[in-house]
Amino acid sequence: METVRKDPLGSAWMVIAALGFTVMNLSIKAASTQFGFSSGELVFWRMLVSTLFLGIMAKAQGNTFSTPHWKTHLNRSVIGTLAMMCTFYSVMHLPLATGVTLNYTSSIWLAIFSFSILKDELRFIPKPF
């Protein structure tokens, strides 16, 4: 039998991620109201900082951004950038709670599209481990 390695923080990583997204959404709202940044500017700076961070981490580990699947990554990047611009725009122009709540409907859409496009099986009763 294979043993499962447990992470000492466990589900705390999800709480940390939720806190991070909360701070990001608050920062988007503040930057748009106080400094007049557009959603395009905010997406640019967020992606630039992320790219620099990932580049430094990859270099430190001896990795590169090179991939044989560049078309797939490019496609995902374009779709992700457009989605991020829409998310930032909604957070900027709607009440913060409304924008974030609408953003969290992505799980519902993921389930619908997984079933209809990817033909995934829907399971409503969790299987025992």
Side-chain angles (χ1 to χ4, degrees):
M1 181 186 268
E2 190 177 317
T3 59
V4 177
R5 195 176 121 205
K6 300 262 181 180
D7 188 333
L9 284 179
S11 57
W13 285 115
M14 188 55 78
V15 174
I16 293 168
L19 180 62
F21 281 113
T22 301
V23 171
M24 182 182 72
N25 286 321
L26 288 170
S27 299
I28 292 166
K29 192 71 165 180
S32 68
T33 56
Q34 293 180 358
F35 306 114
F37 288 153
S38 69
S39 58
E41 288 174 299
L42 291 171
V43 168
F44 170 79
W45 288 110
R46 185 203 180 271
M47 292 179 122
L48 179 67
V49 171
S50 298
T51 303
L52 290 174
F53 177 76
L54 289 173
I56 291 168
M57 293 297 294
K59 189 73 170 167
Q61 295 175 359
N63 297 324
T64 66
F65 284 148
S66 178
T67 178
H69 309 286
W70 66 271
K71 288 181 184 177
T72 305
H73 286 290
L74 180 63
N75 185 37
R76 184 191 181 279
S77 295
V78 169
I79 293 169
T81 300
L82 292 173
M84 190 179 299
M85 288 184 80
C86 291
T87 299
F88 281 26
Y89 186 87
S90 69
V91 168
M92 291 168 58
H93 291 73
L94 293 171
L96 188 57
T98 304
V100 172
T101 301
L102 288 173
N103 186 32
Y104 285 135
T105 63
S106 63
S107 301
I108 297 168
W109 294 108
L110 180 65
I112 293 169
F113 290 150
S114 293
F115 175 72
S116 61
I117 296 171
L118 300 176
K119 307 299 182 208
D120 277 355
E121 181 182 334
L122 292 179
R123 294 188 186 132
F124 297 103
I125 300 172
K127 290 184 174 183
F129 291 29

